[in-house]
Amino acid sequence: MEENIQGKTPAIISYILLVGPLIALSMNSGQDKTAFASFHIRQGLGLTITFIALGLLLSNFYIPMAVMSMWIGISVLAMYGMFTAVKGETKTIPLLGNLFQKFFKNI
């Protein structure tokens, strides 16, 4: 585990839901682009899109327990991703992480 990994800041920022992936994408563009940051940006972007999709789906129904479960689940996955970025690891998010890597492979 390397302590001074390039791209750590955009990797961590990418897990801030909604705006984080956009900020991280702009930080990781051009000559400063790193594979480490790109990996975490794909994970954060996928998590944000999942959050929006589930939110839109659940907004059609009045089920407070389902909404609370979604918030808790997404928050736990975002914290997991953020902690792996802080530790300098490239572990996928449980359940959906491999799909995010495939869907957003061009990032």
Side-chain angles (χ1 to χ4, degrees):
M1 184 167 55
E2 191 176 319
E3 193 60 37
N4 292 328
I5 294 178
Q6 283 188 314
K8 204 177 220 186
T9 302
I12 295 167
I13 289 174
S14 70
Y15 290 103
I16 299 171
L17 292 177
L18 302 177
V19 297
L22 299 175
I23 295 169
L25 270 171
S26 67
M27 290 175 71
N28 194 46
S29 62
Q31 294 176 340
D32 298 335
K33 190 170 185 172
T34 65
F36 178 76
S38 294
F39 174 87
H40 286 286
I41 290 168
R42 288 188 291 270
Q43 296 289 296
L45 181 62
L47 201 55
T48 296
I49 291 172
T50 302
F51 172 72
I52 292 169
L54 284 174
L56 288 173
L57 179 69
L58 290 175
S59 69
N60 293 318
F61 310 100
Y62 183 72
I63 308 172
M65 289 302 290
V67 173
M68 193 166 31
S69 298
M70 179 205 66
W71 274 95
I72 291 170
I74 295 290
S75 297
V76 167
L77 292 175
M79 285 293 152
Y80 176 82
M82 194 177 288
F83 284 128
T84 59
V86 167
K87 288 174 30 179
E89 300 173 348
T90 53
K91 290 183 180 177
T92 57
I93 292 173
L95 305 174
L96 300 170
N98 290 326
L99 290 174
F100 297 158
Q101 291 300 315
K102 289 178 188 174
F103 289 152
F104 306 117
K105 63 184 170 195
N106 294 326
I107 293 176

